[in-house]
Structure formats: structure tokens, C-alpha cells
Amino acid sequence: MNEEVCTHTIVAMGTIVTIQVAVPETDSNHTVHRDEAIHRAFGWFRHIEDCCTRFDPQSESMQLTKRIGVSVPVSPVLYEAAAFALEVAKETRGAFDPTVGFTMQERGFNREYSSGQVVQLDIEPGGEVSYRDICLDPVRKAITLVRPLILDLGAVAKGLAIDMAARELGSFPSFAINAGGDLYLGGLNPQGSPWSIGIRHPREDDALIDTVVVSNRAVCTSGDYERRSSSEDSGHHIIDPRTGASADEVVSVTVVAPSAMLADALATAAFVLGPEEGIQLLERMGVDGLIVSSALDRYETRGMSIDYKSGAASVL
């Protein structure tokens, strides 16, 4: 049976988000259901951005900075994103840390993508802060910022939005979500085969360093080429929270995982940890990945070449 492939694109979370869904050409009911599902899926990107962004002083996460030391009940989205980020921070002993927002702001990573305006929040951290300065109340679903700080949930919020969008599209046998190169591939591609996804070469434009073949998996990449600073000398955007400087041992990390939130967060964490510790983290967390060092040496998890053998890369 022939399938109609529908592709829609929006701008959200500082990137281009594309959703592709295939349904039988002759099934009008599926077409209506598909369009409604795509609309709901895009809605998650907007809603999660409203809750979690640090590029809007009125966002829910930024409003927390006005209530230091107060236990504030928050939305389920913000609570889930913060709780997950804290778990990754604990697992990596601070190599991943959602309290890095002030450092990001000071280094010039504070320009709102849609307006181009610089978002500068005047706070005085009063010394070093870390994930230990965030307290969660799982009963009240409340967050307390113990000290003045700015939450940066960028490494989990986009993944969460992808996962929620994938949940809306889960009834379709073929769909793909691409949010600025972070992907979730549902079922099989329109040709009835697993999705084959190219991994960008971190130093060669329009070249691939590898491909992976996946189904019902997220593929997320963190690279030092993703620069969004308003300051030319600030380095790239992946900061080592322990030093306040850009991590420099790695140029890209790609993670394949059951969820995009997990893949996105672990890609960032492994980038900061470096090749050897990064691979150990991915193995320990039960996901697969490819790390490319600053010398362009490749480091892979054991399952990367076994479970995700490469083929011709699909273009989404």
C-alpha cells in the first residue's frame, strides 16, 4: 500500500523542528488523526520552552530566581526536567550541572533566538553554586533554589519535548522528529526499513563521520561547532561546570538511547567528561555512543558497531 509522507516544520527552542509522518494514501481518517497528532506534538515544544527556557525572564524556570530559599510548587514539566537533570548531575559528580546558567550568561550565551535580544538577569551568586543548591520536594512537586542561581535546562528540555512529541505520534508505524539534529525515529522509514541516520563530521562540512541504523530510538549529538555566543572569544557552548570553561577534550558526542532526554543529557555529560570517562558513563547507563576526541580519534561503546551497523544515511 502506498503511503503519503507528511512533513511539517516550526521554529522552537532556538532551532528548526521538523516532524515527518507517513500514513496510507487512501485512509482519510488516518490523515486527520495524523494532522491532529502533529499539532499536539509541536505544542509540546512550545509548552516545554515556556516552562524551561532561560532566554525569557518570564519563563517558569527564570521566575524561580526571584524566590531564592522558597519552596515553589512548579508545573509537572519543569519538575520532571529539573529532577532528571539533578539525577544526571549526581551520576556524573557535577560534570553535568543544571546550575551552570549564570556562567553561560557571563560567557555570552544569552541571546534570545527569535528576537536576537540579549537576556541578562542581574543576580549575585555569591560564590560557586552547584546542583547541590537545588532541593526537590517530590510530594508537593516543588523546587527550592538554596542560593541565587540560574537554571540551565537546555540539555534536557529539548530531549523532553522530543519524547513528548514522540508519544503523540506513537500510534503511527513511521515517523521521525528532528530538532536541530537531535532525533527520534519511530518504527520503520516509509520504505519499510529501519532508519539510517548520518552523523555529522565535526570538522568537515557536508561530510559524515558514520551512520547508524535505528528504530524506536533517539539519536542526539553534542558538538563544539554549535556556537551560539554573543561574545566572539567565549569558546563553544558546552561548559565544564567544574571549571567554568569550555570542555576541550572532545569535539562531538553522539548517543543512541531509548529516549531523547536521556540521549541529549548523556551526550552533554560525556562531552564534558572526555573520551575515556565519557564512554564509561555511556556503558554504565546502558546506552551506546560515539565520541570523537579533539585529535579526531574515535571512541565507541561496545554495542555501537554491533547493534547499529551503518548503512546509507537517510536525509530527514
Side-chain angles (χ1 to χ4, degrees):
M1 179 180 296
N2 292 331
E3 290 188 320
E4 176 189 5
V5 178
C6 178
T7 302
H8 288 280
T9 297
I10 66 168
V11 176
M13 293 186 160
T15 194
I16 297 173
V17 182
T18 299
I19 290 177
Q20 173 182 305
V21 181
V23 297
E25 287 184 347
T26 58
D27 194 332
S28 58
N29 289 331
H30 269 76
T31 299
V32 172
H33 175 48
R34 176 200 62 196
D35 293 344
E36 292 174 345
I38 290 174
H39 178 75
R40 292 194 302 272
F42 279 137
W44 280 109
F45 284 90
R46 299 186 179 98
H47 177 55
I48 292 172
E49 183 174 23
D50 288 343
C51 292
C52 299
T53 183
R54 65 177 175 85
F55 296 102
D56 180 359
Q58 302 306 313
S59 74
E60 188 180 10
S61 65
M62 290 293 271
Q63 288 297 301
L64 289 176
T65 62
K66 299 179 180 180
R67 305 184 69 183
I68 303 302
V70 179
S71 180
V72 181
V74 298
S75 67
V77 161
L78 181 56
Y79 188 87
E80 181 175 352
F84 186 85
L86 288 183
E87 286 301 316
V88 178
K90 294 172 185 176
E91 180 67 33
T92 62
R93 298 182 180 179
F96 179 97
D97 194 324
T99 67
V100 76
F102 182 78
T103 301
M104 297 289 284
Q105 174 179 282
E106 292 299 288
R107 291 175 63 83
F109 296 95
N110 58 351
R111 190 179 297 277
E112 205 278 326
Y113 69 91
S114 60
S115 67
Q117 294 182 343
V118 170
V119 178
Q120 190 78 16
L121 190 66
D122 293 326
I123 69 168
E124 182 54 55
E128 294 183 0
V129 298
S130 78
Y131 66 93
R132 297 180 182 88
D133 295 310
I134 303 175
C135 293
L136 301 181
D137 182 340
V139 176
R140 296 175 59 239
K141 302 297 181 185
I143 298 176
T144 304
L145 304 186
V146 178
R147 301 170 65 187
L149 60 87
I150 300 174
L151 281 175
D152 186 318
L153 296 171
V156 296
K158 185 167 67 170
L160 176 59
I162 293 171
D163 291 337
M164 297 306 295
R167 186 177 299 180
E168 297 290 353
L169 303 172
S171 63
F172 299 99
S174 176
F175 69 89
I177 304 165
N178 182 347
D182 288 341
L183 310 167
Y184 188 90
L185 297 314
L188 304 176
N189 67 23
Q191 290 72 46
S193 301
W195 297 88
S196 184
I197 303 301
I199 300 174
R200 173 179 173 176
H201 194 292
R203 291 294 181 264
E204 296 180 16
D205 293 341
D206 302 319
L208 301 179
I209 198 167
D210 207 341
T211 60
V212 292
V213 178
V214 298
S215 179
N216 298 321
R217 286 289 185 275
V219 182
C220 295
T221 297
S222 291
D224 67 356
Y225 44 80
E226 301 168 349
R227 184 172 177 169
R228 298 195 302 261
S229 174
S230 58
S231 173
E232 288 301 318
D233 60 354
S234 63
H236 62 78
H237 74 292
I238 304 176
I239 303 299
D240 185 338
R242 303 165 299 183
T243 65
S246 297
D248 60 5
E249 291 187 50
V250 168
V251 292
S252 75
V253 178
T254 297
V255 175
V256 182
S259 75
M261 187 160 66
L262 181 62
D264 200 7
L266 292 183
T268 301
F271 194 108
V272 172
L273 286 169
E276 294 184 2
E277 286 190 69
I279 289 295
Q280 291 172 8
L281 171 68
L282 301 184
E283 296 275 11
R284 189 166 69 248
M285 298 300 293
V287 302
D288 282 302
L290 166 67
I291 298 178
V292 182
S293 74
S294 55
L296 299 185
D297 295 323
R298 294 167 54 109
Y299 297 78
E300 294 183 351
T301 57
R302 289 186 294 271
M304 191 67 174
S305 60
I306 297 173
D307 297 330
Y308 306 102
K309 292 183 179 180
S310 62
S314 298
V315 178
L316 178 60

